[in-house]
């Protein structure tokens, strides 16, 4: 589903070039749930950005489904993202001017889906927010906001879901509930999940764990799901 | 495909956001200002065009200083046209103890041939159309005449040696050709009463108007027949010419007001640009998120541009409405000066207003908003990522194009547009530098003031780019207002004050040659000193070096007044004491009878006349040529009789002449004028004090109208201030929260803000005082040649007014900073 070959990312800084990722090679199968772990600054988020086509590598290539991302311009990659990818972010990234319902409708409307309102309502019901449809992000708690973000991520039934520290801004109990929801939906919809986290406890719930250190893969292990 | 509804939903959701409101408000101001002027000039222009025939009182008017060949009138009647004669002259009218120079018009049955008069039975009563005319022995008069002479309907009034009874008040009269802003109030009487007045004597300044009306083809045929027969002193005014004469006066007024509007539009544009920039920055996250979801760059534009378009259209619509209301203010302020009843409003100023709104929006808002499509999607992971800044050439290029486009529609001339533009850029650059210096100086004071002032001044210095912009925006606006106000209140009084106490304040013209001696004796007996009596012959300049004058002069000079009317020609041996020879030499005794002429220097400059040129003049039907023997500088404001063309004796003495002189009368001596007019009915006395009063009134009205439009400019300045406040809002909120978290009180914060904006306003006021002082100095000393006085009240009023206005606005604009809980703010950061 996702493949990266000899992936490197180098940025220019005031102190000279800095290698954030070096020679990453990996392959993620359909419906697989993969955790990318590592300490802060190990390059996890950069890898996620490259795999999702948000950024281009300095060297190496990335394949999403059958698309070679290196061949595509920004609009081309956006098309691929719209077709295949969903996102969940640490900071939720809900649009403050739109209600919960409208936030979930947005990707559906972008795709030109029919009856986006109905689909969005159903998704918000699935994440337990049927009573909060007309609330604005500001009026929702952190956990609720992340649940809206999850509903939004699944709205277009993407083949791949990228989640960047989805519990980073939540307390333990809320984080746990959100993760349960994420995995349940992931299972139901048969989505490929790429989860970036520094939380080992969360990582072990995935099928596979890729550990990064200073921009290199130091471990890639299949795990038995803990839950 | 992004849906239109989504764009609209986002727009509605955003309606409470500050930047969107400011953007709309700024556009509303720009459109309102331009639409108000648009409506005003369009209604007036069309009013005059529609009424041209009615306005002229005829299809064709022949204007002549002398009666024309009776055969011409017979020819017109034979061609099936109606033809009547009217006679107009300036005459001092006596009512009770008062005198007034008025424009007398004597008419025959049938007047006017087109349109109709409107009269009222009493002063200030509503006027009604009438087909009647004053009966013999009656006079109809303009409102101003009644007011000035303190008369009522039914009172007697004397014109020359004849007494008439006022029976009606004129509210509209067709046929006031020529200067639409003419000042002498009208008195209408019967032609049959004219001989009894004794006003008409050989050489008197009279204007005969022959009105013709008929079917279009016949009028054209007659016109074609008449035109080759006309002499240089004849003027033919058709509907077309009448429109042009009035139109050009209006055009000048339009340009004058247009400049104020332009300033409002430019300032509004700056506010729009600032608001759009903030709008754009606040939508970076959303754009990045949408990119993540698969939206293309085009999708993003499809989302934002319709919002911008709808905002622009809505704001333009509101601006048009406001402009429509505001035009009534202009019509009210200029009511006395309007030459015609304004026609009903039409749609095109609305279109022009909407176009102004959209051009301003495109020029100032498009570049920042276009940046949204370039937001990198990776921003969702790394918030510090920003789209590349808009290229400077794009930002300034777009803004400049918008300004040039708007400016061009007002000036309708490329050289003028470019000179105003480059002058404006230079002015802004210089004043920016001064504003920065002022800011630097105030920063130096920083250590000597209290905490609140230090906080405020520090804020100004830290955001100095924005501060300079605001000081400039308000400084320029206040400067314009100050200059206009100073000119209105100070100019005329300064000028009058600087006239020597005994400067002549009356002119007597039309003194007949055989009355010269008795007139002088009369004045001597009364103890009034008169200036020398000069003979005056009316003639036209028709050729320069054998080339018809209209072809010989530059395009600009072609509309010069001195070409379009008869000049006063004179002869004398003595050079007037306030004249100075610049080139050539003054007449020697043996120059008598030589075909030479001395030309006034400014006229010579405008017409391109130089020493040795051959000038050909027409007096009545006769022509003669004279060579330019000297160029003279004339001090016109000496109020002594002065002339463009002076000949040596015995060159034009063969033509009929009347005499002119000037004298000084104190108010208490005015009754002498009654006696004078009674004794010499043909003499016209021009009371300069009255004329100055009248000119002063017009002047005050026009400057008031300009000031009225400048209010829009001031409002646009406030839009800039609020846009700047918006732009710094997040910083301010954060700082405020920090200050309060560290134990600062709301009062301290408030005092700091108050100090900041009071200082900003004070500095703007100071800048405006500096600018206004310089401008007025240039105007007084270089243009008007008046001694310039230091305008000290300006240096107090402008900074205080600026400090109060802007202090209050800024204080109000930053209230949220003080009101929000520090906890909430810090948590959100």
């Amino acid at each position: 589903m996702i493949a990266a070959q000899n992936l490197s990312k180098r940025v220019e800084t005031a102190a000279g070039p800095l290698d954030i990722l070096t020679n990453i090679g990996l392959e993620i199968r359909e419906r697989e749930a993969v955790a990318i772990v590592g300490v802060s600054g190990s390059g996890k988020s950069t890898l996620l950005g490259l795999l999702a086509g948000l950024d281009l590598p300095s060297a190496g290539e990335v394949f999403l489904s059958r698309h070679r991302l290196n061949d595509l311009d920004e609009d081309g990659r956006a098309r691929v993202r719209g077709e295949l990818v969903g996102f969940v972010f640490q900071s939720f990234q809900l649009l403050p001017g739109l209600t919960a319902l409208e936030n979930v409708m947005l990707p559906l409307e972008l795709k030109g889906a029919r009856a986006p309102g109905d689909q969005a309502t159903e998704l918000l019901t699935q994440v337990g927010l049927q009573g909060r449809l007309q609330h604005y992000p500001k009026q929702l708690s952190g956990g609720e906001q992340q649940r809206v973000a999850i509903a939004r991520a699944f709205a277009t039934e993407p083949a791949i879901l990228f989640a960047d520290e989805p519990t980073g801004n939540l307390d333990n109990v809320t984080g746990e509930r959100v993760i349960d929801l994420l995995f349940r939906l992931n299972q139901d919809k048969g989505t490929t999940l790429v989860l970036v986290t520094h939380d080992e406890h969360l990582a072990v719930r995935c099928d596979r764990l890729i550990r990064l250190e200073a921009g290199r893969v130091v471990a890639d292990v299949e795990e038995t799901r803990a839950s | 495909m992004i849906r239109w509804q989504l764009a609209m939903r986002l727009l509605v959701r955003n309606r409470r956001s500050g930047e969107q409101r400011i953007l709309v408000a700024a556009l509303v101001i720009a459109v309102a200002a331009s639409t108000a002027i648009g409506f005003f000039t369009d209604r007036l222009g069309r009013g005059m065009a529609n009424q041209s025939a009615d306005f002229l009182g005829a299809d064709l008017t022949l204007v002549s200083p002398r009666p024309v060949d009776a055969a011409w009138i017979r020819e017109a009647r034979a061609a099936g046209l109606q033809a009547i004669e009217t006679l107009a002259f300036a005459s001092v009218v006596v009512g009770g103890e008062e005198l007034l120079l008025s424009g007398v018009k004597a008419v025959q049955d049938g007047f006017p041939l087109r349109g109709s008069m409107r009269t009222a039975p009493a002063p200030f009563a509503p006027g009604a159309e009438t087909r009647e005319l004053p009966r013999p022995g009656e006079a109809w008069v303009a409102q101003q005449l009644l007011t000035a002479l303190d008369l009522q309907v039914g009172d007697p009034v004397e014109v020359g040696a004849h007494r008439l009874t006022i029976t009606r008040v004129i509210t509209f009269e067709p046929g006031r050709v020529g200067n639409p802003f003419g000042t002498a109030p009208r008195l209408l009487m019967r032609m049959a009463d004219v001989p009894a007045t004794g006003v008409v004597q050989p050489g008197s300044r009279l204007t005969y108007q022959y009105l013709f009306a008929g079917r279009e083809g016949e009028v054209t045929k007659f016109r074609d027949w008449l035109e080759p027969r006309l002499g240089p002193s004849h003027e033919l005014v058709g509907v077309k010419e009448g429109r042009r004469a009035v139109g050009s006066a209006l055009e000048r007024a339009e340009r004058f007001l247009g400049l104020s509007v332009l300033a409002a539009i430019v300032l509004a544009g700056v506010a729009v640009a600032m608001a759009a920039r903030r709008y754009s920055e606040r939508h970076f996250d959303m754009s990045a998120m949408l990119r993540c979801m698969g939206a293309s760059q085009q999708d993003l534009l499809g989302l934002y541009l319709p919002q911008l378009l709808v905002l622009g259209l809505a704001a333009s619509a509101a601006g048009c409405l406001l402009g429509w209301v505001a035009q009534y203010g202009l019509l009210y302020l200029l009511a006395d000066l309007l030459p015609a009843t304004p026609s009903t409003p039409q749609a095109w100023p609305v279109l022009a207003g909407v176009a102004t709104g959209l051009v301003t929006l495109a020029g100032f808002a498009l570049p920042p908003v276009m940046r949204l499509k370039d937001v990198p999607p990776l921003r969702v992971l790394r918030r510090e990522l920003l789209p590349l800044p808009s290229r400077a050439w794009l930002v300034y290029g777009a803004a400049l194009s918008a300004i040039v486009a708007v400016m061009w529609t007002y000036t309708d001339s490329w050289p003028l547009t470019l000179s105003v533009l480059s002058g404006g850029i230079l002015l802004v650059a210089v004043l920016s530098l001064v504003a920065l210096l002022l800011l630097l100086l105030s920063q130096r004071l920083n250590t000597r003031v209290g905490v609140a002032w230090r906080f405020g001044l520090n804020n100004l210095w830290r955001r100095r780019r924005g501060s300079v912009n605001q000081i400039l925006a308000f400084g320029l606006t206040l400067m314009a207002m100050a200059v206009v106000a100073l000119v209105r209140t100070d100019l005329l009084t300064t000028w009058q004050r600087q006239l020597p106490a005994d400067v002549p304040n009356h002119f007597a013209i039309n003194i007949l040659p055989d009355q010269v001696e008795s007139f002088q004796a009369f004045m001597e007996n009364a103890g009034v000193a008169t200036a020398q009596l000069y003979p005056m012959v009316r003639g036209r300049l028709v050729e320069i070096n054998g080339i018809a004058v209209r072809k010989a002069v530059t395009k600009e000079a072609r509309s010069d007044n001195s070409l379009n009317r008869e000049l006063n020609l004179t002869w004398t041996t003595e050079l007037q004491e306030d004249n100075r020879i610049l080139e050539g030499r003054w007449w020697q005794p043996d120059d008598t009878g030589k075909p030479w002429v001395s030309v006034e220097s400014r006229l010579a400059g405008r017409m391109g006349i130089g020493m040795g040129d051959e000038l050909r003049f027409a007096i009545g039907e006769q022509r003669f040529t004279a060579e330019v023997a000297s160029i003279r500088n004339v001090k016109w404001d000496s109020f002594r009789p002065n002339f463009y063309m002076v000949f040596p004796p015995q060159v034009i003495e063969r033509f009929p002449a009347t005499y002119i002189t000037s004298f000084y009368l104190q108010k208490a001596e005015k009754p002498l004028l009654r006696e004078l007019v009674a004794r010499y009915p043909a003499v016209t006395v021009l009371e300069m004090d009255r004329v100055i009063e009248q000119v002063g009134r017009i002047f005050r009205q026009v400057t008031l109208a300009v000031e009225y439009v400048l209010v829009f400019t001031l409002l646009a300045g406030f839009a800039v201030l609020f846009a700047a406040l918006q732009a710094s809002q997040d910083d301010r909120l954060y700082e405020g929260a920090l200050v309060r978290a560290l134990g600062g009180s709301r009062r301290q914060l408030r005092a700091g803000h108050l100090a900041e904006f009071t200082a900003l306003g004070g500095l703007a006021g100071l800048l405006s005082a500096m600018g206004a002082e310089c401008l007025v100095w240039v105007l007084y000393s270089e243009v008007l040649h008046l001694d310039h006085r230091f305008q000290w009240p300006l240096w107090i009023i402008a900074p205080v007014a600026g400090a109060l206005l802007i202090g209050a606005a800024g204080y109000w604009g930053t209230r949220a900073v003080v009101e929000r809980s520090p906890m909430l703010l810090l948590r959100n950061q």
Side-chain angles (χ1 to χ4, degrees):
Chain A
M1 193 73 203
I2 308 171
Q5 290 165 6
N6 300 324
L7 212 53
S8 295
K9 183 71 183 176
R10 167 179 286 197
V11 290
E12 296 299 325
T13 68
L18 173 71
D19 289 313
I20 301 178
L21 293 174
T22 316
N23 260 334
I24 307 272
L26 54 83
E27 205 161 314
I28 296 169
R29 291 180 294 276
E30 208 172 327
R31 290 170 173 257
E32 202 174 14
V34 179
I36 299 173
V37 294
V39 294
S40 200
S42 57
K44 314 183 287 289
S45 291
T46 306
L47 181 58
L48 179 131
L50 291 178
L51 294 181
L54 296 177
D55 197 7
L56 282 178
S58 312
E61 43 191 2
V62 181
F63 292 89
L64 262 192
S65 186
R66 55 191 187 288
H67 305 281
R68 183 176 183 269
L69 295 185
N70 303 57
D71 296 337
L72 302 173
D73 63 1
E74 186 23 61
D75 271 353
R77 296 199 299 277
R79 217 167 28 246
V80 172
R81 285 196 298 271
E83 211 174 285
L84 294 174
V85 177
F87 289 95
V88 176
F89 302 101
Q90 178 176 4
S91 52
F92 323 137
Q93 302 275 17
L94 297 179
L95 303 186
L98 301 184
T99 61
L101 181 66
E102 288 167 344
N103 263 290
V104 179
M105 283 165 65
L106 191 59
L108 290 166
E109 287 179 315
L110 278 175
K111 270 197 140 174
R114 278 194 194 170
D118 296 347
Q119 290 188 48
T121 307
E122 197 191 318
L123 272 161
L124 282 166
T125 310
Q126 283 181 34
V127 300
L129 289 177
Q130 59 276 27
R132 293 271 197 271
L133 301 181
Q134 297 307 328
H135 285 58
Y136 287 94
K138 255 199 284 188
Q139 301 165 312
L140 299 172
S141 71
E144 286 172 328
Q145 288 190 48
Q146 194 59 304
R147 282 195 275 160
V148 175
I150 290 170
R152 180 181 64 184
F154 281 104
T156 53
E157 307 199 325
I160 310 163
L161 183 70
F162 288 98
D164 181 36
E165 303 274 13
T167 58
N169 276 356
L170 303 173
D171 62 66
N172 284 343
V173 180
T174 315
E176 200 69 39
R177 284 198 197 135
V178 163
I179 282 301
D180 286 346
L181 178 70
L182 184 68
F183 276 94
R184 180 163 57 78
L185 281 173
N186 190 47
Q187 202 113 51
D188 291 353
K189 314 256 176 199
T191 315
T192 307
L193 175 67
V194 178
L195 176 74
V196 163
T197 181
H198 64 279
D199 182 354
E200 301 280 344
H201 175 67
L202 181 57
V204 295
R205 295 180 62 166
C206 295
D207 305 327
R208 182 175 157 199
L209 187 146
I210 297 171
R211 187 177 301 280
L212 288 186
E213 262 178 43
R216 288 171 192 276
V217 176
V218 294
D220 187 345
V221 287
E222 305 262 347
E223 302 214 357
T224 334
R225 289 203 186 194
S227 58
Chain B
M1 238 297 274
I2 300 273
R3 298 237 173 118
W4 171 261
Q5 294 109 297
L6 179 61
M8 291 308 104
R9 202 157 58 226
L10 289 171
L11 184 69
V12 174
R13 290 272 172 272
N14 245 326
R15 71 187 180 278
R16 293 222 173 80
S17 74
E19 67 275 1
Q20 203 161 299
R21 283 181 175 188
I22 286 170
L23 195 138
V24 169
L27 275 183
V28 168
I29 293 165
V31 175
S34 74
T35 319
I37 299 298
F39 269 124
F40 174 73
T41 46
D42 173 58
R43 287 183 63 184
L44 212 54
R46 258 177 330 105
M48 287 184 304
N50 290 345
Q51 294 172 1
S52 268
D54 289 355
F55 187 65
L56 289 174
D59 293 330
L60 190 67
T61 302
L62 172 62
V63 185
S64 165
R66 278 167 286 277
V68 300
D69 190 343
W72 295 3
I73 309 302
R74 282 199 298 277
E75 173 70 27
R77 292 199 173 122
L81 300 182
Q82 287 174 275
I84 56 167
E85 182 192 63
T86 71
L87 173 64
F89 53 89
S91 179
V92 171
V93 166
V94 183
E97 294 303 307
E98 300 283 326
L99 298 137
L100 181 72
L101 180 72
S102 59
V104 178
K105 185 172 201 164
V107 294
Q108 300 175 321
D109 277 334
F111 176 86
L113 293 179
R114 289 276 183 255
S116 48
M117 308 248 325
R118 296 179 70 86
T119 61
F124 301 109
E129 242 172 58
T130 178
R131 297 301 309 172
E132 294 169 32
L133 285 177
R135 282 189 284 269
E138 286 183 2
W140 291 1
V141 298
Q143 173 65 56
Q144 299 98 296
L145 188 135
L146 288 181
T147 315
L149 295 178
D150 196 17
L151 293 178
Q152 294 297 322
V153 171
D155 286 345
V157 65
E158 285 166 39
V159 179
H162 193 50
R163 178 177 278 225
L164 301 164
T165 306
I166 298 171
T167 51
R168 281 197 211 180
V169 180
I170 304 169
T171 56
F172 174 76
E173 173 213 336
R176 293 210 76 163
V177 199
N179 181 6
F181 298 124
T183 55
R186 171 64 83 218
L187 182 144
L188 197 76
M189 59 187 280
R190 277 284 171 163
M191 192 70 101
D193 283 331
V194 171
T197 63
V199 169
V200 177
Q201 304 284 346
S204 299
R205 281 193 83 125
L206 304 168
T207 305
Y208 290 86
Q209 284 188 13
Y210 299 87
L211 309 187
F212 305 97
R215 277 204 293 267
E216 200 181 327
E218 285 158 358
V219 172
T220 314
K221 230 169 91 188
F222 175 64
R223 190 182 177 137
D224 292 345
W225 176 86
L226 186 60
E227 253 169 357
R229 290 173 169 75
L230 295 180
S233 60
H234 296 129
E235 193 182 354
L236 206 50
V237 184
V239 172
K240 204 170 58 194
E241 289 87 356
R243 210 176 294 173
R244 196 186 308 136
V246 178
S248 70
L250 198 68
E251 214 169 82
R252 268 194 298 265
E254 192 181 336
R255 281 184 186 180
F256 206 42
L257 294 171
L259 269 179
S260 324
V261 174
L262 193 67
I265 292 174
V266 171
L267 281 184
V270 172
V272 166
M274 290 166 83
R277 194 181 155 150
R278 179 156 164 93
Y279 173 90
S280 165
E281 284 167 1
R282 281 170 55 118
H283 284 80
F284 283 172
D285 286 344
M286 173 166 170
S287 305
M289 191 61 224
L290 288 168
R291 296 289 277 152
C292 273
M293 290 179 186
S296 65
Q297 293 194 324
Q298 217 176 351
D299 287 336
L300 288 187
L301 290 184
L303 189 62
Y304 295 117
L305 295 186
Q307 294 189 49
L308 214 55
L309 183 70
V310 169
L311 277 182
L313 289 174
S316 300
C320 287
L321 201 66
L322 196 66
W324 184 72
V325 175
Q327 56 151 337
Y328 286 103
L330 270 178
L331 287 173
Y332 172 78
L333 283 176
L334 294 172
D336 292 357
L337 306 181
L338 300 184
T341 324
S343 149
T344 46
Q346 257 191 356
W348 92 257
V350 171
L351 293 181
V354 172
T356 305
L358 293 183
V359 166
T360 310
L361 190 65
F364 290 90
L366 218 46
V369 172
M370 292 293 273
R371 260 180 101 196
L372 282 169
K373 73 175 172 46
D374 297 324
V375 173
L378 198 59
R379 185 178 158 89
V380 293
L381 297 176
R382 292 172 49 199
R383 288 220 51 208
E384 72 280 10
L385 287 182
L386 295 173
L388 289 174
S390 314
R391 305 239 168 81
W393 66 262
L394 181 68
V395 177
Y396 292 108
L400 222 57
S401 320
I403 293 172
V404 167
V406 174
M407 204 183 282
W408 185 75
T409 56
Y410 280 112
T411 58
D412 205 12
S413 128
W414 281 114
L416 193 61
T417 301
L418 293 180
S419 60
V420 170
L421 189 71
S422 47
I425 290 174
L426 193 72
L427 184 72
V428 165
V430 170
L431 289 184
S432 299
L433 209 64
V434 177
L436 193 66
L437 279 175
L438 285 178
L439 211 53
L440 188 70
L441 283 177
S442 67
Q443 178 65 8
R444 287 282 162 86
L445 283 176
N446 211 352
T447 49
R448 291 178 215 171
V449 291
V451 179
W453 282 100
R454 199 153 61 228
F455 178 83
L457 291 176
N458 268 336
N459 264 346
L460 284 183
W461 183 247
R462 214 151 28 91
R463 290 188 255 274
R464 54 186 166 276
R465 219 177 122 178
S467 303
V468 166
N469 281 343
Q470 289 154 54
I471 291 175
L472 207 60
F474 282 109
L476 276 172
T477 311
L478 291 175
M479 180 176 93
M481 295 184 108
V483 169
V484 174
L486 272 179
V487 162
R488 183 170 70 237
T489 54
D490 191 70
L491 184 66
L492 279 175
T493 44
T494 304
W495 178 62
Q496 275 168 300
R497 206 175 27 237
Q498 289 182 14
L499 292 178
D502 57 348
V503 76
N505 57 359
H506 291 78
F507 279 93
I509 60 173
N510 285 350
I511 303 168
L512 305 174
D514 58 4
Q515 291 175 337
V516 168
E517 269 169 43
S518 92
F519 183 89
Q520 273 173 320
F522 173 86
M523 295 303 271
E524 227 165 90
N525 281 342
V528 178
T530 57
Q532 189 188 334
L533 268 78
Y534 288 94
M536 203 163 83
V537 174
R538 297 174 77 194
R540 274 179 192 247
L541 175 64
V542 286
E543 282 173 21
I544 300 174
N545 293 329
I547 301 167
V549 74
R550 283 179 185 278
K551 285 190 188 136
V553 300
T554 60
K555 215 169 146 192
E556 289 79 47
R558 243 165 255 171
S559 58
D560 202 288
N561 246 342
S562 45
L563 283 188
N564 296 318
R565 64 180 169 87
E566 296 201 311
L567 299 171
N568 293 323
L569 316 176
T570 194
W571 69 88
T572 178
T573 47
E574 295 290 317
L575 180 66
Q576 285 104 313
E577 54 185 280
D578 46 19
N579 283 203
R580 208 154 38 86
I581 297 291
L582 299 180
E583 281 180 75
R585 62 167 180 78
W586 185 246
W587 316 142
Q588 304 298 319
D590 58 351
D591 292 338
T592 300
K594 285 185 182 161
W596 285 356
V597 62
S598 171
V599 184
E600 192 263 344
S601 58
R602 273 193 265 174
L603 178 79
R606 286 203 303 273
M607 299 284 148
I609 295 173
M611 289 289 294
D613 282 352
E614 297 272 330
L615 305 186
R616 193 160 176 78
F617 294 90
I619 296 172
E621 304 306 313
Q622 301 184 54
R623 297 183 181 222
F624 71 96
T625 304
E627 184 191 329
V628 178
S630 67
I631 306 274
R632 264 172 317 123
N633 177 282
V634 171
K635 218 177 152 217
W636 289 102
D637 55 10
S638 69
F639 281 96
R640 289 189 179 81
N642 263 306
F643 301 86
Y644 284 128
M645 305 285 176
V646 179
F647 296 84
Q650 292 179 20
V651 178
I652 54 170
E653 271 172 51
R654 58 196 153 109
F655 299 105
T658 58
Y659 283 73
I660 176 173
T661 188
S662 63
F663 51 90
Y664 176 76
L665 277 191
Q666 283 181 343
K667 269 224 155 60
E669 295 172 307
K670 285 255 181 186
L672 180 70
L673 293 178
R674 265 203 79 162
E675 217 177 307
L676 191 150
V677 173
R679 176 90 67 97
Y680 304 100
V683 170
T684 300
V685 178
L686 301 171
E687 292 175 273
M688 289 317 287
D689 44 358
R690 288 266 168 89
V691 172
I692 290 169
E693 217 170 89
Q694 190 100 16
V695 168
R697 205 168 52 237
I698 293 173
F699 194 70
R700 276 189 290 275
Q701 274 181 305
V702 171
T703 48
L704 211 57
V706 171
E707 205 129 20
Y708 177 80
V709 176
L710 281 173
V711 170
F712 285 103
T713 316
L714 187 67
L715 287 177
F718 279 111
V720 173
L721 175 74
F722 284 114
L725 280 181
Q726 272 290 323
S728 61
Q729 181 91 329
D730 293 340
D731 281 0
R732 285 178 192 280
L733 284 171
Y734 187 63
E735 277 165 20
L738 266 182
V739 168
R740 286 179 59 202
L742 294 175
S745 70
R746 284 178 183 217
R747 246 189 70 208
Q748 281 171 316
L749 259 185
R750 282 212 185 107
H753 288 141
L754 195 59
E756 177 180 346
F757 293 103
T758 306
L760 185 77
L763 290 177
L766 202 60
L767 185 74
S768 76
M770 292 161 106
E773 186 77 60
C774 290
L775 267 181
V776 170
W777 176 74
V778 170
L779 190 66
Y780 277 38
S781 56
E782 299 301 310
V783 183
L784 302 169
H785 303 286
L786 295 174
D787 289 339
H788 170 253
R789 265 179 331 125
F790 181 66
Q791 305 285 345
W792 64 265
L794 174 72
W795 292 80
I796 298 169
I797 295 170
V800 169
L804 285 176
L805 269 175
I806 294 149
Y811 185 72
W812 184 74
T814 49
R815 68 199 186 290
V817 174
V818 186
E819 281 162 13
R820 285 211 203 151
S821 134
M823 190 56 220
L824 199 74
L825 290 164
L826 292 177
R827 205 174 53 191
N828 278 352
Q829 274 296 313

